[in-house]
Amino acid sequence: MWKPHAPPPQRITKSPDPESQQRNVRRIAQIVKLKPEFLDKYKEVHAAVWPEVLQQIKVCNIEDYSIYHDPATGILFATFKYVGIDFEGDMERMRENVKVREWWAMTDGFQESVVPGAKNSESGSPPWWKELEEVFYLE
């Protein structure tokens, strides 16, 4: 689901834990299309995301995760920060979680990928959500 095409701009920050390594902070934005007949269901399930899924997202070093919807186009726009030191490893750990895979199977059914050849979130390649290139950022 979160496999990037090209590395986005990164910024190195010191971890609040002095014993841990420095970490890369990556801002990631992605899109996918929501099937219009699933708008209400999509909002309903995201109003009560399964605790196991929320926990795994945090364990995999994802913060500030938001999803927006454009009703005119049906596009879902997601943005989050990856604050760990091993993005690929964390995304593999995400895929290993049975409840996350169940969540993806459910929510993928509500969506249409805009990535040619994408099969589902679990496969990871090509990614289900299309990653967007960051062209401007003001901190």
Side-chain angles (χ1 to χ4, degrees), residues 100-117:
V100 169
R101 289 196 314 271
E102 288 176 24
W103 178 265
W104 286 345
M106 175 182 60
T107 58
D108 283 2
F110 305 152
Q111 305 163 348
E112 296 175 32
S113 180
V114 297
V115 177

Side-chain angles (χ1 to χ4, degrees), residues 1 17 30 37-38 43 50 65 72 91 105 123 125 128 136:
M1 176 173 173
D17 176 4
Q30 305 168 316
E37 65 270 25
F38 291 109
K43 288 181 178 180
W50 302 342
Y65 190 5
M91 295 308 97
S123 71
S125 183
W128 185 251
F136 176 77

Side-chain angles (χ1 to χ4, degrees), residues 9-112:
Q10 296 183 5
R11 138 180 96 120
I12 306 295
T13 61
K14 291 257 186 193
S15 175
D17 176 4
E19 294 180 10
S20 68
Q21 303 175 30
Q22 283 191 333
R23 57 187 186 158
N24 293 322
V25 176
R26 296 173 57 182
R27 293 176 308 279
I28 297 173
Q30 305 168 316
I31 60 170
V32 75
K33 189 166 186 179
L34 181 65
K35 296 175 183 175
E37 65 270 25
F38 291 109
L39 175 60
D40 291 338
K41 185 65 176 172
Y42 193 81
K43 288 181 178 180
E44 177 186 321
V45 300
H46 281 82
V49 177
W50 302 342
E52 301 92 343
V53 173
L54 295 174
Q55 180 62 29
Q56 189 66 48
I57 289 170
K58 290 177 183 178
V59 166
C60 290
N61 296 298
I62 293 173
E63 296 179 354
D64 295 333
Y65 190 5
S66 297
I67 301 174
Y68 300 86
H69 177 249
D70 177 15
T73 63
I75 294 293
L76 293 170
F77 172 80
T79 181
F80 59 90
K81 290 180 183 175
Y82 175 73
V83 297
I85 59 172
D86 179 13
F87 184 76
E88 294 301 324
D90 280 333
M91 295 308 97
E92 185 57 37
R93 281 183 283 286
M94 183 84 71
R95 277 188 287 281
E96 291 170 355
N97 185 303
V98 172
K99 291 305 270 186
V100 169
R101 289 196 314 271
E102 288 176 24
W103 178 265
W104 286 345
M106 175 182 60
T107 58
D108 283 2
F110 305 152
Q111 305 163 348
E112 296 175 32

Side-chain angles (χ1 to χ4, degrees), residues 116-136:
K119 295 179 183 103
N120 56 46
S121 292
E122 185 178 346
S123 71
S125 183
W128 185 251
W129 285 68
K130 179 180 182 181
E131 188 164 330
L132 304 177
E133 177 186 1
E134 181 177 78
V135 295
F136 176 77

